Amino acid sequence: MSIRAGIIGTGFMARVHAQAIASGGHQLVGVTGSSRDRAADFVANRPGTVAFESIRELIDLRPDVVHVTTPNALHREQAEQIIDAGIGVIVEKPLATSVEDAEALASRQGDVPVAAVPFIYRYYGLVREIRERIRHLPGNRLWMLHGSYLQDWLGGADQTNWRVDPAAGGASRAFGDIGVHWCDLMEFVTGHRITTVTALVGNAFEREGGAAQNLTEDGAVLTFTTDQGALGSLVVSQASAGRDNRLYFSFDGPDESYEFDQQLPERAWVGRRDESRLITRNPSKAVATPVGLEPVPAGHPQGYQQCFNDFVADAYAAFAGQVSDTLPTFADGLRAAHLTEAVLESARTGMPVRVAADEALAGAAATAR
């Protein structure tokens, strides 16, 4: 089934989405951005794609789905316009910059064929392999869940981006942008849910460009507990020199422990009391069922773009009525908003903060259905 897609936004993430659309043989029919000129530049080498002045013009073209890749503060308004038109929607994370806005969107995810948020690290083959191994070893009580997500792209006082301004990116930057990825991955892989967080946030330096450039955090350190009695910790940074995009986790149990590094995605570590070994990605021998497009063969490295391609393929499969236990929806976006709110509240008060109960999140999704 070929899907007709539109994109709002013309930056880096818009290019990633466009590549994922094309990889599945689907048609990017229209793009709009902050100006027609920017949209025209974006579509210049994409035959059959039209540049539009406004979101309204794009919606009037009646695509099957629209991808929202604009600054975070615009997500709710733009996504609601798309949903009001009965068109499927994929919204870059974070879903929204407040719990209220995320709840409003999550309550409407059932109004359209697909409403997804690209937590794409779920689609690494070895991430899914570790998830299945954990499922097949229920007696191995995971009790220590820890890791980090480190970047350096905002590691200079003169480096800036719209994300550093809370008016555009939201009150949390480092955690809201990348920390939520790690938390989503931990909960997806282990089945644990974070119940309480204790957090500190900080900055590496005073960023040049005025007060608005210094209102969001460069990094965060948090500890947490889960609904299954585990302890956890997470270090998040966007100013750690040499760390291009290192998402790392170690999920530890008394019988087996599991380690994964996103920058080395073709191998993972499994530790046991009697042995430790590296496992490599091999779809022909995997326990986990492939999701998305045809799996990349063993020995041909799977990367970030391939994960994104698989996410879009998984989302688009919803148009054919397929149900996936991997696809991250608006309910997962709402979950991330609750976690972000708890992290900021704990950092402000210096106290542990309880994360909204799963029942509340399920309620929002049930309202949508």
Side-chain angles (χ1 to χ4, degrees):
M1 178 180 180
S2 180
I3 301 298
R4 298 170 68 251
I7 295 178
I8 305 173
T10 58
F12 165 70
M13 289 312 306
R15 295 194 298 273
V16 173
H17 282 254
Q19 175 60 38
I21 293 165
S23 73
H26 305 290
Q27 183 182 4
L28 178 59
V29 296
V31 172
T32 185
S34 56
S35 70
R36 185 184 289 275
D37 287 345
R38 295 194 67 174
D41 289 343
F42 189 89
V43 307
N45 297 312
R46 295 181 169 89
T49 307
V50 180
F52 290 105
E53 182 77 31
S54 68
I55 297 172
R56 186 72 263 164
E57 290 177 304
L58 177 59
I59 289 174
D60 287 344
L61 192 63
R62 303 304 303 174
D64 299 304
V65 61
V66 174
H67 298 236
V68 177
T69 69
T70 52
N72 306 337
L74 302 176
H75 288 180
R76 177 181 176 178
E77 176 186 355
Q78 293 173 343
E80 285 183 332
Q81 290 184 61
I82 297 162
I83 293 170
D84 286 343
I87 295 171
V89 61
I90 293 174
V91 180
E92 258 304 325
K93 60 96 207 97
L95 177 61
T97 55
S98 71
V99 167
E100 178 185 9
D101 287 350
E103 285 176 339
L105 290 177
S107 71
R108 300 196 59 191
Q109 68 180 22
D111 295 351
V112 290
V114 60
V117 179
F119 288 115
I120 62 96
Y121 296 114
R122 296 180 177 200
Y123 290 85
Y124 274 112
L126 284 176
V127 164
R128 291 182 48 75
E129 183 71 7
I130 291 171
R131 182 184 190 228
E132 288 305 307
R133 287 171 180 252
I134 290 170
R135 286 178 164 184
H136 283 78
L137 196 63
N140 180 36
R141 189 181 75 84
L142 298 176
W143 73 282
M144 185 66 69
L145 312 172
H146 54 103
S148 60
Y149 195 160
L150 308 176
Q151 298 177 332
D152 67 356
W153 73 289
L154 288 171
D158 60 341
Q159 292 176 294
T160 190
N161 179 273
W162 58 260
R163 289 174 178 81
V164 307
D165 182 357
S172 173
R173 173 168 39 93
F175 183 81
D177 186 26
I178 60 176
V180 294
H181 262 304
W182 191 94
C183 293
D184 174 80
L185 197 63
M186 184 280 290
E187 293 189 339
F188 172 73
V189 171
T190 67
H192 287 240
R193 306 288 279 185
I194 295 172
T195 52
T196 62
V197 298
T198 304
L200 297 170
V201 299
N203 292 85
F205 41 67
E206 185 172 335
R207 198 174 300 278
E208 298 174 6
Q213 300 287 303
N214 294 283
L215 298 175
T216 57
E217 79 280 1
D218 288 321
V221 176
L222 57 141
T223 57
F224 59 86
T225 60
T226 76
D227 59 350
Q228 297 183 42
L231 305 177
S233 67
L234 172 63
V235 178
V236 177
S237 170
Q238 291 182 321
S240 290
R243 298 299 191 184
D244 295 317
N245 193 49
R246 186 179 187 265
L247 185 158
Y248 164 86
F249 67 67
S250 183
F251 302 148
D252 303 346
D255 297 317
E256 282 192 356
S257 298
Y258 313 91
E259 179 184 85
F260 177 78
D261 181 344
Q262 190 271 153
Q263 292 191 157
L264 300 169
E266 292 296 290
R267 68 185 191 192
W269 176 85
V270 178
R272 299 176 60 89
R273 290 192 300 274
D274 57 349
E275 67 169 348
S276 296
R277 59 193 176 95
L278 293 175
I279 59 174
T280 57
R281 186 187 61 83
N282 188 337
S284 66
K285 299 178 181 179
V287 176
T289 303
V291 174
L293 301 174
E294 185 70 22
V296 179
H300 298 73
Q302 178 191 26
Y304 173 85
Q305 183 67 61
Q306 181 64 39
C307 288
F308 219 104
N309 298 352
D310 288 343
F311 157 74
V312 169
D314 200 19
Y316 285 10
F319 286 96
Q322 296 183 33
V323 178
S324 169
D325 71 347
T326 302
L327 183 65
T329 68
F330 278 12
D332 299 298
L334 173 56
R335 174 69 178 169
H338 277 287
L339 286 165
T340 302
E341 180 183 64
V343 165
L344 291 178
E345 178 67 11
S346 177
R348 184 184 68 81
T349 63
M351 300 293 292
V353 171
R354 188 161 188 85
V355 181
D358 285 351
E359 290 77 8
L361 303 176
T367 301
R369 293 191 291 271

